Amino acid sequence: MHAVPTSTQTITFVNNEHFSFAESEVPPTVPVWYAEQPDDLVKVWSDGPLWDPPPVRDFPVCICGRRIPLQYWKQLYSYNKDQDGEWRRLKNSWTNWRYFMQAYENLVSPLLAEVFWFYRPSLLVFAHH
């Protein structure tokens, strides 16, 4: 009897490192909230210069002990047949986070950042429905 082959994915991180894993290693999502601490979203969205994630045990998605920045979650879940339905539950929140981060990354002044934090946190809640 032959084992059923598992599909694999590869993420290319900001530093050009390639991380490959089996789709079966992708865990289900857990609800995460960033409305009260939007700066936490900034720390976990991308593995770029602002990357400052919590320890592995507190991070919502880890694969083989590796914390996966939120920007890659669409890639992890949208076509992953081993996690069928996860993207449907996550898509709206992830899209809001992406819009939030695009706006944040386009800021040019710390004063604008303060105004931004005041008006944008309502986009940052994700919960399973």
Side-chain angles (χ1 to χ4, degrees):
M1 184 181 247
H2 296 288
V4 176
T6 303
S7 297
T8 60
Q9 288 190 36
T10 300
I11 292 174
T12 303
F13 292 106
V14 170
N15 67 0
N16 231 9
E17 175 190 354
H18 302 287
F19 177 64
S20 296
F21 50 91
E23 286 187 346
S24 60
E25 295 176 295
V26 176
T29 57
V30 295
V32 290
W33 292 267
Y34 295 107
E36 293 180 17
Q37 296 292 331
D39 55 325
D40 288 348
L41 175 61
V42 173
K43 295 175 185 176
V44 299
W45 176 256
S46 168
D47 54 318
L50 300 176
W51 176 244
D52 185 20
V56 169
R57 71 180 179 277
D58 298 327
F59 201 76
V61 174
C62 295
I63 300 172
C64 301
R66 178 87 183 241
R67 294 167 290 198
I68 306 299
L70 276 68
Q71 75 176 27
Y72 302 111
W73 288 15
K74 179 179 182 181
Q75 179 182 341
L76 291 182
Y77 294 105
S78 62
Y79 299 107
N80 187 335
K81 295 191 183 1
D82 287 343
Q83 290 299 333
D84 191 36
E86 286 297 311
W87 182 243
R88 188 174 4 92
R89 287 187 287 277
L90 179 62
K91 182 180 180 180
N92 188 51
S93 294
W94 184 89
T95 300
N96 286 337
W97 297 336
R98 185 185 67 190
Y99 290 145
F100 178 91
M101 289 306 301
Q102 286 172 339
Y104 178 81
E105 290 167 351
N106 288 325
L107 291 176
V108 293
S109 129
L111 178 60
L112 288 176
E114 291 300 319
V115 172
F116 181 81
W117 289 131
F118 182 77
Y119 287 105
R120 299 300 290 219
S122 63
L123 295 175
L124 303 177
V125 177
F126 161 60
H128 288 285
H129 296 279

